[in-house]
Amino acid sequence: MCNLKLLTVLGLFVSVLSITDDLDLGISDEAGFERQLREQGFSGREISAFMQEHRAAAQEALDEAESGEFVRWNEANGYRECDRFKTRQYGFQGAGKDCTGCLKPYSYAQICAKFECPPFLPGVIACGFEARRILSARWAVTTIDTADIENGYRDAFWRLFKYVNRANDQGVRIASSVYTVSKWSLGGFLGQVEGGQMAVYIPSEFQANPPAPTDSQVSVETWADIETYDRVFGGDRPNNLKALTKAYRLLKRSLQLKDIEYDNNMVMTFEYVKPGCGSQRSEIAVVGA
C-alpha cells in the first residue's frame, strides 16, 4: 500500500517534506492510524467510523485502478514538461524510469471533481508549471511550532483534524475530506524555516457562518486572493524529499524562463493522499510577488 497521511481520512493535504526528511505522523497504515486516534482521545465509536472510511477509500482506489482509465502525463501534471528538463543535466533518466502508475500524479481536475476545492481561477500554463489564483475565503488556521518542527507539525495536524471533526461550537463534522494548505516562511532557502501555518479550507456550506473552534490555538481567518505557481513532484515517490527538492529547483527555473517574479521567502506544498497506487498528488508552490 502507498504511504498514507490523512487529515480527515481523505483530502488534499499539505506536508512539510521540504523541511524534514522523515516527518511521520504515525498513521501510515491502519494500525498506526487507529493507535493515533486512540492516543488523541477519540471514542471507540468515532474510531470505528474513521476506520470504516479508511477501508472504503482503499477499496475505491482499487476500483479506480482496475477501471483502466488512462490519463496522459501532461494531463495528470496539468502542464507540459520543458524540453530542456528532459536531459541528464536536470536528472532526467529516460521515460522508462518515470512511467509507473504509482509515480503518475492524480490530476487536479479529478481531485476537485470529487472533493470541494477552494474557489480558484486558472492562470497561465507554461512548460514546467501552472498558475492558480486562489480566491478569498475563510480558513481554519493554526500555527506550527517551528522550534520543535516534527512535534509542532504533528500537533497542528491533530488540532485541525479535531476542529473538522466536531471540536467546534456547532458540534458538527465540517467535511469527511478537506483542502489543506501550509505556508512556510523561509530564511532565504528551502531548509531554513522561520515560521509556519497549517490551514484547512472551510467548505462552502459553512463559509457564511463558520463553526468557531473550541481549541484556542485554532482560529478562523479570511484570506485574501493569492497567486500560486505550482509544480508536481508526485505521485507516490519512494523519496519525496529528493523529488520535492528537484521540483523546487525546476519550478524556479521555469519561472525564470518566463520572467515571472515570485516571493523567495515563502513556499507551499500540497499533497493529496489516499490509499492505493496512482491515487496521490504532490505539488510544491511559490507565491507571486
Side-chain angles (χ1 to χ4, degrees):
M1 180 178 291
C2 297
N3 183 39
L4 176 64
K5 296 174 184 173
L6 300 171
L7 184 63
T8 53
V9 183
L10 307 174
L12 192 59
F13 179 74
V14 177
S15 70
V16 61
L17 297 173
S18 57
I19 313 304
T20 177
D21 198 10
D22 184 21
L23 189 54
D24 184 3
L25 291 168
I27 54 176
S28 57
D29 56 32
E30 281 195 31
F33 184 37
E34 184 172 358
R35 181 179 65 255
Q36 287 287 309
L37 289 169
R38 294 189 187 283
E39 291 177 358
Q40 291 296 321
F42 287 97
S43 69
R45 189 174 186 177
E46 290 171 321
I47 292 170
S48 178
F50 286 135
M51 299 310 298
Q52 184 176 356
E53 288 180 345
H54 171 226
R55 297 183 187 106
Q59 183 59 52
E60 180 184 16
L62 180 61
D63 292 343
E64 284 186 3
E66 292 178 346
S67 72
E69 181 181 356
F70 180 77
V71 178
R72 295 184 178 277
W73 272 85
N74 285 353
E75 182 182 350
N77 287 343
Y79 55 85
R80 66 178 181 83
E81 185 58 288
C82 299
D83 290 338
R84 68 176 61 210
F85 296 162
K86 299 177 183 179
T87 64
R88 293 191 181 279
Q89 175 187 354
Y90 289 97
F92 185 69
Q93 299 179 17
K97 297 286 186 180
D98 224 23
C99 284
T100 72
C102 291
L103 294 181
K104 183 185 292 184
Y106 205 60
S107 78
Y108 198 74
Q110 288 173 302
I111 293 168
C112 294
K114 286 188 172 185
F115 309 109
E116 185 177 358
C117 294
F120 74 95
L121 297 175
V124 62
I125 298 176
C127 80
F129 72 93
E130 65 176 321
R132 302 185 194 111
R133 174 167 288 274
I134 301 175
L135 302 180
S136 177
R138 286 173 167 167
W139 298 72
V141 183
T142 190
T143 298
I144 300 169
D145 181 5
T146 55
D148 180 5
I149 202 161
E150 184 168 351
N151 287 324
Y153 185 71
R154 183 179 293 110
D155 292 344
F157 170 92
W158 285 110
R159 285 195 293 270
L160 292 178
F161 185 103
K162 290 175 181 178
Y163 169 72
V164 170
N165 287 285
R166 299 188 174 87
N168 54 70
D169 68 346
Q170 297 180 30
V172 294
R173 192 181 194 200
I174 293 173
S176 62
S177 58
V178 288
Y179 186 108
T180 312
V181 54
S182 292
K183 295 180 179 179
W184 298 92
S185 300
L186 306 180
F189 62 93
L190 195 59
Q192 183 180 354
V193 180
E194 295 183 341
Q197 288 183 316
M198 185 183 294
V200 298
Y201 168 68
I202 297 174
S204 57
E205 179 183 355
F206 297 98
Q207 276 286 310
N209 183 29
T214 55
D215 187 332
S216 62
Q217 295 186 74
V218 179
S219 61
V220 173
E221 299 180 3
T222 299
W223 284 2
D225 293 8
I226 187 172
E227 186 86 15
T228 64
Y229 300 101
D230 308 79
R231 181 179 172 88
V232 172
F233 64 92
D236 182 42
R237 295 279 177 176
N239 186 342
N240 263 1
L241 178 63
K242 182 178 179 181
L244 185 148
T245 303
K246 177 182 176 181
Y248 183 59
R249 178 168 59 94
L250 296 184
L251 173 60
K252 292 193 296 181
R253 181 60 177 145
S254 299
L255 295 174
Q256 289 168 0
L257 292 172
K258 299 294 289 185
D259 294 322
I260 294 175
E261 296 184 353
Y262 59 91
D263 186 348
N264 277 303
N265 297 313
M266 181 181 292
V267 68
M268 303 165 75
T269 54
F270 300 77
E271 194 174 5
Y272 172 82
V273 198
K274 62 184 275 190
C277 177
S279 300
Q280 292 79 34
R281 182 180 185 85
S282 302
E283 297 180 348
I284 187 163
V286 293
V287 177

